């Protein structure tokens, strides 16, 4: 069965007052995300990956020895990344649940230090990619970054939060000011309940 583009969990203009415009969502979700769905479906058609889950395809097609990944991985991984991304955003102001606040403080020293580290990872990712808050295999929380569409699944990690730092995610609203986009993401857009639910 072919993968489909999930509907946004809110209206296209629901995040506009919090720094992510309707135009950004129309381009990012309706065009970019849809392209990963369409291209991914075309590339897996008739292959051993047809009928597999997103997670199976991602972990099965990732090449740890290569910088440039194959087309199946790139599109399917970005499809998975974006499916999660929209769920990590909320038009409501969501406070950080106590359990998550405690975990972040234990791991990073404070919530503010976590935000600083997360923003620094996103700002320092050269070119396109993602910054992540992950739960590692040993249960510890870490901030990581990945190039292009690579995600924590291929390292055996659980993605608790990810931010897209490809230009299509922020250029309409923030132009070349990626750090400002990252600060706004953490301060105004994150659905912390969703993050905490993955702990």
């Amino acid at each position: 069965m072919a993968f489909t583009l999930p509907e946004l969990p809110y209206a296209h203009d629901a995040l506009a007052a919090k720094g992510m415009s309707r135009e950004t969502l129309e381009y990012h979700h309706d065009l970019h995300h849809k392209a990963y769905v369409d291209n991914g479906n075309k590339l897996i058609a008739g292959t051993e990956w047809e009928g597999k889950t997103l997670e199976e395809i991602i972990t099965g097609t990732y090449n740890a020895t290569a910088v440039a990944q194959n087309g199946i991985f790139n599109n399917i991984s970005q499809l998975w990344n974006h499916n999660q991304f929209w769920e990590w955003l909320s038009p409501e102001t969501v406070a950080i649940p106590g359990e998550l606040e405690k975990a972040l403080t234990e791991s990073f020293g404070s919530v503010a230090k976590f935000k600083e580290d997360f923003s620094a990872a996103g700002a320092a990712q050269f070119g396109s990619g993602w910054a992540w808050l992950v739960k590692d295999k040993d249960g510890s929380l870490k901030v990581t970054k990945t190039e292009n569409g690579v995600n924590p699944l291929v390292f055996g990690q659980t993605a608790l939060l990810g931010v897209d730092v490809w230009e299509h995610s922020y250029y309409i609203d923030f132009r070349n000011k990626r750090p400002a986009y990252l600060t706004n993401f953490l301060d105004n857009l994150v659905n912390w309940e969703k993050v905490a639910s993955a702990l």
Side-chain angles (χ1 to χ4, degrees):
M1 187 168 136
F3 296 115
T4 57
L5 178 69
E7 293 289 330
L8 286 169
Y10 30 72
H12 282 76
D13 60 359
L15 306 176
K18 302 177 87 180
M20 193 173 282
S21 65
R22 166 186 278 275
E23 186 180 9
T24 288
L25 268 68
E26 287 171 346
Y27 274 92
H28 197 172
H29 173 268
D30 301 359
L31 298 178
H32 288 281
H33 191 173
K34 185 176 187 300
Y36 299 130
V37 176
D38 294 344
N39 291 333
N41 282 329
K42 283 178 195 164
L43 289 166
I44 63 171
T47 74
E48 64 185 292
W49 303 109
E50 192 170 18
K52 303 283 190 186
T53 66
L54 292 174
E55 292 80 5
E56 287 170 331
I57 299 169
I58 289 164
T59 55
T61 59
Y62 179 68
N63 181 354
T65 66
V67 174
Q69 297 296 316
N70 61 78
I72 290 177
F73 175 86
N74 286 336
N75 284 278
I76 296 298
S77 187
Q78 280 286 71
L79 169 50
W80 185 92
N81 291 352
H82 284 80
N83 285 355
Q84 313 309 311
F85 183 65
W86 305 120
E87 298 287 340
W88 282 320
L89 305 177
S90 174
E92 309 300 324
T93 298
V94 182
I96 299 179
E99 175 195 12
L100 177 60
E101 184 175 359
K102 181 171 180 283
L104 292 172
T105 301
E106 287 173 354
S107 299
F108 300 96
S110 66
V111 172
K113 184 64 167 68
F114 153 68
K115 288 184 174 183
E116 181 184 324
D117 290 356
F118 188 88
S119 292
Q125 173 55 44
F126 181 75
S128 300
W130 292 73
W132 305 94
L133 170 66
V134 302
K135 183 162 72 172
D136 215 342
K137 289 176 276 194
D138 63 2
S140 65
L141 299 190
K142 293 179 179 169
V143 165
T144 66
K145 60 181 179 173
T146 57
E147 70 281 355
N148 301 318
V150 176
N151 69 45
L153 293 178
V154 302
F155 307 114
Q157 300 166 327
T158 302
L160 303 180
L161 177 66
V163 63
D164 188 350
V165 297
W166 289 56
E167 285 191 341
H168 63 233
S169 188
Y170 62 88
Y171 209 84
I172 290 170
D173 300 314
F174 290 91
R175 295 300 185 256
N176 63 338
K177 297 183 178 73
R178 189 193 286 181
Y181 157 74
L182 292 164
T183 298
N184 185 68
F185 173 83
L186 290 169
D187 290 348
N188 298 314
L189 288 166
V190 175
N191 181 350
W192 295 108
E193 294 280 359
K194 170 74 173 171
V195 179
S197 73
L199 271 178

